[in-house]
Amino acid sequence: MIKNNLAPGRDGIEYSMLKDLTEEMEEVMLEICNEVWTTDWFPEDWRKYQTMFIDKAGKEKVRPIALSSCVGKVMERMVNERMVWWAERINKLARDQNGFRRGRSCAENLVRDTEFIINGQESEYRRVYKGLPQGAVLSPLLYALYTYNVTNKEQIEYESVQFADDIAAYDKGHNRDNNKRILEKAVNSISEQLTELGLQLEPKKTVQEVKGKVSKANSLMVYLNKKSKDLSIEYYRKKKGVTDAQLLEKIKTTHGMDEGFTVIYTDGFKKRRGKLLGASVVIEEQEVAYNISISKNCSTFTAEAIAIKAVLEIMENKADSRPRDIAVLTDARAVLQAIRNNHLSVYKNRYINEIRERHFRLCKEKKKKIVYVWIPSHVGISGNEMADKLAKEAAEEEADDHIEVSFLDFRQKFRKEIWNKTQDFLVKDARFKGIYYFKNFYNRKKKKPWFHGKNEEKYFITLINRLRSNHYNVNESLARKGYIDDARCECGNQRET
């Protein structure tokens, strides 16, 4: 409930001292708390807050830090535990309020003495009659109860979320002008509700059209929908002498698969300088196998993902005639890790998202059990070898125009082109600039700087870089640029380097 490293109030009693109380002293403290609760008597030291102001970096504003009695805060926490339970149980908090709520009455001393610390100097005590004490344990809950009805939507249809005293109103629809009008009405309504409570809306807040990232919101929705449930992935390294049958038996035992479960192998292939890619699917104990040619603009990762997506598509189309349990074996470790990753982002390969959607549709609607197993390539697993062979054959054929290229693959391609063009420009320019560096240190194949992974100070890295490029404030460099006339060193050397 309490931490050791928090500063004490004016009474000088620290949390570490409270943690070391004997059992008898703890009973005394409990009696004091009960006395406060039943008699409305409030210790004078608990009423006093010492407020210090700390400058906000780069802003002409300050952040108030309030220090209050640690003993008083312990009692507040006890009261807060009970009040939160009561408020949550009978729905006394607004549904869209998310601040300081898990998973998501003692009258508080609203009149209190506060001592302000300005520029390190103590000032006189000033009595505060309005608001809630900054840093007090009960303040978030009391604020949430007080502003319960601020986002009343009886007159205007809009959506809102709250986090403590931050309120976000939003709307969605195809007509942007209409959305903006609705939000303007919503903001005015919220402002009126706050005014009735004696509060004010920050005047700088405006109605904005959201065009930014939504990955965090997506991640939250995935979490709420339990998208990671039943997504089982195993990494299996075949040992010497282990047969394919033993491997499958281990998978069956580990995951409790039914007898006669479907075993499927997938693979993707791209020649180092090949024009096309291939993907393949091999279903064990079935005469038919599948392979497909893919555009050269796709990555091997995409080819592997397309193969797994094809598996789930086949299983979905023939779900009623297939056994309940399915094992997908692949050597695409990175693809399996991406499937398992619960984080949604605009930078996630589209085929990974399609795999996840089909997976959960099969599990939820068709009651299938699907296990993904990573196996190493080229270790003699017959199904994997067959899938590899089919993928290579597909890479020799003309690409299927219906297979869309993930924009991430284009992004990778463009980054490579930009890198090469940049290096070409730098090498061309090296005839006139950075001659010493390009002659002695430049390596086109290295894409990471020499200081990557080194925990060094910026000054040291800058110094070395300037020395390596012969671009530092020594006489030889300064004379070369024409800032001084003589490159000689004070020690008598012909050049100061």
Side-chain angles (χ1 to χ4, degrees), residues 385-396:
E385 296 296 336
M386 177 61 71
D388 179 69
K389 180 181 178 182
L390 289 173
K392 288 178 178 177
E393 290 177 2
E396 301 294 335

Side-chain angles (χ1 to χ4, degrees), residues 31-33 35-44 46-47:
E31 289 179 8
I32 294 173
C33 292
E35 185 75 11
V36 173
W37 180 267
T38 56
T39 65
D40 289 337
W41 165 77
F42 219 69
E44 193 66 24
W46 293 13
R47 292 180 180 272

Side-chain angles (χ1 to χ4, degrees), residues 157-176:
E157 289 292 332
Y158 69 96
E159 300 296 330
S160 64
V161 290
Q162 298 185 60
F163 191 91
D165 60 346
D166 287 328
I167 303 172
Y170 64 95
D171 190 43
K172 57 184 178 181
H174 298 292
N175 190 320
R176 293 183 178 180

